[in-house]
Amino acid sequence: MSRFFWVRHGPTHAKSMVGWSDIPADLSDAARLARVASHLPSNAIVISSDLSRARTTADAISGGRERLPDDPDLREIHFGAWELQVFDTVPDQPLLRAFWEQPGDIRAPGGESWHEVSARVSRAAERLRMAYPGRDIVAVAHMGAILTQVQAALGVTAYEAFGHRIDNLSVTELHWLNGGWRAQVINHHP
């Protein structure tokens, strides 16, 4: 059995759609970071997205754990032309609403669809699972990336997966067992 502990990066305090922009995380809550670090298995390996908000969060919670190189496939969804825009300022409101209400093949101009981000993150998880069979893996990533894996574990639609909160510095624990993912805990706050 492989266990993945998906940790969402520290807060950015951004009020817009942040995908591939490299905005730093606020890691000033040392007590909360310590609680997350102590909750994670001590023998786990740690990996993160290559965006600084995930990378610095992974560094802050890794402790003495083995740290793997950053993986760009663990990035947040690419919002393209909508990047760093507030929802109400996106000119094509019908497309924006369809993107969130009917996730799948719809994408922002120059961005990624839900299916594309899901395939990208799933490939990364599969590579890790195959490279480190039976190991505990801490993956520090982003809300959308984590929700793709929650969707896979629960066997629900993307829209239903969006109903789950993935808060900053929360832990979502998924197990690979008998050929599939199983959700153990979603959005846990140690």
Side-chain angles (χ1 to χ4, degrees), residues 89-103:
T89 65
V90 171
D92 191 343
Q93 286 291 307
L95 181 62
L96 177 67
R97 290 189 197 293
F99 176 82
W100 292 110
E101 294 171 1
Q102 302 163 20

Side-chain angles (χ1 to χ4, degrees), residues 13 16 31 46 60-61 64 70 74 78 102 114 124 129 133 143 154 159 165 173 176-178 185 188:
H13 309 296
S16 59
V46 179
I61 64 170
D70 301 334
L74 296 177
H78 185 7
Q102 302 163 20
W114 178 259
R129 193 178 62 75
M143 181 178 70
L154 297 178
Y159 184 77
R165 290 183 58 94
E173 184 179 343
W176 179 265
L177 186 62
N178 299 325
V185 178
H188 175 65

Side-chain angles (χ1 to χ4, degrees), residues 16-173:
S16 59
M17 289 182 279
V18 179
W20 286 17
S21 293
D22 205 10
I23 295 177
D26 174 356
L27 300 178
S28 61
D29 191 342
R32 191 165 175 204
L33 289 166
R35 285 193 307 274
V36 172
S38 67
H39 172 76
L40 300 169
S42 60
N43 64 341
I45 54 177
V46 179
I47 190 168
S48 74
S49 149
D50 64 336
L51 296 172
S52 65
R53 60 190 182 270
R55 184 177 56 253
T56 58
T57 301
D59 292 343
I61 64 170
S62 63
R65 297 172 184 92
E66 179 184 355
R67 180 76 162 85
L68 299 177
D70 301 334
D71 188 341
D73 282 344
L74 296 177
R75 281 184 173 196
E76 180 61 279
I77 193 165
H78 185 7
F79 289 116
W82 298 342
E83 184 72 13
L84 299 179
Q85 290 194 43
V86 177
F87 292 98
D88 296 344
T89 65
V90 171
D92 191 343
Q93 286 291 307
L95 181 62
L96 177 67
R97 290 189 197 293
F99 176 82
W100 292 110
E101 294 171 1
Q102 302 163 20
D105 292 322
I106 299 168
R107 70 172 57 86
E112 249 179 336
S113 73
W114 178 259
H115 288 168
E116 290 166 334
V117 70
S118 183
R120 173 172 51 79
V121 176
S122 293
R123 281 191 309 269
E126 178 69 6
R127 278 194 314 270
L128 287 164
R129 193 178 62 75
M130 297 303 287
Y132 302 96
R135 293 287 308 271
D136 289 336
I137 297 170
V138 173
V140 181
H142 311 269
M143 181 178 70
I146 296 169
L147 283 175
T148 67
Q149 301 310 289
V150 167
Q151 179 188 9
L154 297 178
V156 297
T157 66
Y159 184 77
E160 291 168 315
F162 282 164
H164 289 274
R165 290 183 58 94
I166 304 294
D167 296 322
N168 293 110
L169 298 176
S170 67
V171 179
T172 295
E173 184 179 343

Side-chain angles (χ1 to χ4, degrees), residues 1-5 173-177 180-184:
M1 176 177 72
S2 294
R3 300 188 308 169
F4 273 62
F5 296 81
E173 184 179 343
L174 306 178
H175 294 184
W176 179 265
L177 186 62
W181 290 109
R182 307 288 186 269
Q184 299 303 307

